[in-house]
């Protein structure tokens, strides 16, 4: 059944677990995420990156919404990392109930102005807004931020940011990275604890691919209730596709589709267990 992301996050925040938000690009990705969530009786978020939206357009949003409607678990559909007011407006018109207004590349003042405007727009549509304070480095599709440009979330500024924008969920930067971590991930958990102490909105951690079990557990304990995962899903998809195409048997399209769905589902299942959201549907 289709759910609103904010409702899923509020339940997670009070229940001591986190909801996985998985980036999807096509039907196979959507099927894998929903199948894993159903197998675990877990709530889940189907998340669309602007690059995926550029390629998939309105049909991709409708696909996610239909899959969410038909799912046997609560499933929300979310627009990820959107720095474009037009893309957000378009997604809202198509019925998306949750968007990430990404003003992280702007100055603090401009991030406030952009995020506040997107909150006003989204709330008019009855939708919620996730916004980011600080900036996470790494690569996700066309979104590339150099390590030098990473900025951690300032806990005192987070209070101001939440109050000035009226956002519904805060994406924090505590050493998390999009894409591959170089070496062991170093999360600033003391900073996370301080942010949680000061703000009460649901906290979001991007770049969950590559985080170890102890990072995830600690982050949940310290208030994270949404994890974003993309890289590990894409890797599983591509590895399965490659081996289906280079196997001894001539590649068959239905076999290739089944192989990629199974591979992505395995990763999602693993993450849902780490996020402790199984049985919370
Ligand atoms: P990863 O690609 O590192 O898993 O990050 C995904 C993400 O944060 C989506 O917004």
């Amino acid at each position: 059944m289709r759910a609103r992301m904010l409702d899923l996050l509020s339940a997670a925040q009070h229940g001591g677990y986190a909801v996985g938000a998985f980036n999807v690009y096509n039907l196979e990705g959507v099927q894998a995420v929903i199948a894993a969530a159903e197998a675990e009786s877990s709530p889940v978020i189907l998340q669309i990156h602007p690059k995926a939206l550029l390629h998939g357009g309105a049909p991709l949003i409708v696909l996610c919404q239909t899959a969410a409607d038909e799912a046997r678990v609560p499933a929300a559909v979310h627009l990820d990392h959107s720095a474009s007011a037009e893309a957000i407006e378009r997604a809202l018109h198509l019925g998306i109930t949750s968007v990430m207004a990404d003003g992280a590349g702007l100055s603090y003042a401009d991030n406030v102005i952009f995020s506040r405007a997107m909150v006003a727009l989204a709330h008019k549509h009855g939708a919620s807004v996730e916004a980011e304070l600080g900036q996470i480095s790494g690569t996700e599709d066309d979104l590339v931020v150099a390590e030098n440009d990473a900025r951690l979330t300032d806990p005192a500024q987070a209070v101001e940011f939440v109050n000035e924008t009226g956002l519904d969920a805060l994406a924090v930067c505590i050493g998390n990275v999009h894409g591959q971590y170089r070496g062991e991930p170093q999360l600033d958990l003391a900073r996370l604890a301080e942010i949680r102490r000061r703000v009460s909105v649901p906290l979001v951690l991007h770049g969950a691919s590559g985080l170890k079990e102890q990072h995830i557990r600690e982050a949940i304990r310290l208030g994270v209730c949404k994890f974003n995962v993309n890289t590990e899903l894409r890797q599983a998809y591509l590895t399965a596709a490659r081996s289906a195409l280079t196997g001894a048997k001539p590649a068959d399209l239905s076999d290739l589709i089944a192989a990629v769905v199974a591979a992505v589902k395995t990763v999602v299942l693993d993450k849902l267990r780490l996020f402790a959201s199984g049985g919370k549907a």
Side-chain angles (χ1 to χ4, degrees):
M1 70 226 63
R2 204 186 317 176
R4 308 174 76 75
M5 188 177 92
L6 200 54
D7 294 337
L8 300 186
L9 299 194
S10 303
Q13 195 173 3
H14 297 109
Y17 61 96
V19 186
F22 300 98
N23 287 79
V24 291
Y25 293 75
N26 58 15
L27 176 64
E28 288 77 35
V30 170
Q31 285 179 329
V33 172
I34 296 292
E38 287 180 340
E40 283 292 301
S41 287
S42 168
V44 79
I45 297 163
L46 294 166
Q47 186 162 264
I48 305 171
H49 195 273
K51 175 96 182 275
L53 193 58
L54 209 59
H55 166 74
L60 181 59
I61 293 186
V62 176
L63 161 65
C64 290
Q65 289 168 329
T66 308
D69 287 339
E70 292 188 354
R72 293 193 300 275
V73 293
V77 183
H78 174 74
L79 177 67
D80 196 18
H81 279 293
S82 203
S84 147
E86 291 71 35
I88 289 178
E89 190 152 25
R90 185 155 165 252
L92 292 169
H93 278 295
L94 287 165
I96 231 168
T97 57
S98 172
V99 298
M100 178 188 186
D102 186 354
L106 305 171
S107 67
Y108 174 73
D110 287 342
N111 190 2
V112 169
I113 292 169
F114 175 67
S115 301
R116 189 198 286 143
M118 294 307 101
V119 168
L121 179 67
H123 285 186
K124 249 199 316 198
H125 285 81
S128 61
V129 173
E130 171 188 330
E132 179 173 316
L133 180 63
Q135 186 163 36
I136 104 165
S137 63
T139 302
E140 190 182 14
D141 290 334
D142 285 345
L143 184 66
V144 181
V145 178
E147 230 173 279
N148 295 347
D149 294 329
R151 280 176 283 111
L152 300 185
T153 306
D154 177 314
Q157 201 174 46
V159 180
E160 255 177 60
F161 189 60
V162 170
N163 292 339
E164 289 184 8
T165 60
L167 59 77
D168 302 290
L170 177 68
V172 296
C173 306
I174 55 164
N176 42 320
V177 165
H178 279 141
Q180 304 283 0
Y181 282 83
R182 279 216 280 129
E184 267 295 290
Q186 305 291 337
L187 297 187
D188 186 344
L189 295 170
R191 182 178 297 269
L192 176 61
E194 188 55 20
I195 298 167
R196 174 73 304 161
R197 197 178 69 73
R198 291 173 181 244
V199 306
S200 58
V201 294
L203 301 180
V204 178
L205 198 76
H206 286 240
S209 291
L211 291 183
K212 302 269 163 30
E213 182 165 0
Q214 84 264 21
H215 295 124
I216 302 278
R217 295 261 178 262
E218 271 298 278
I220 293 175
R221 192 180 68 75
L222 295 171
V224 168
C225 50
K226 173 179 180 252
F227 286 102
N228 285 10
V229 191
N230 187 352
T231 298
E232 283 189 56
L233 269 57
R234 284 201 314 241
Q235 283 169 341
Y237 191 117
L238 292 173
T239 305
R242 243 176 245 124
S243 63
L245 289 171
T246 53
K249 268 199 322 170
D252 176 90
L253 187 54
S254 338
D255 292 345
L256 184 141
I257 289 171
V260 298
V261 171
V264 175
K265 181 181 168 190
T266 302
V267 178
V268 177
L269 279 173
D270 186 45
K271 297 298 172 198
L272 295 176
R273 289 176 194 135
L274 287 178
F275 302 158
S277 61
K280 309 289 187 191

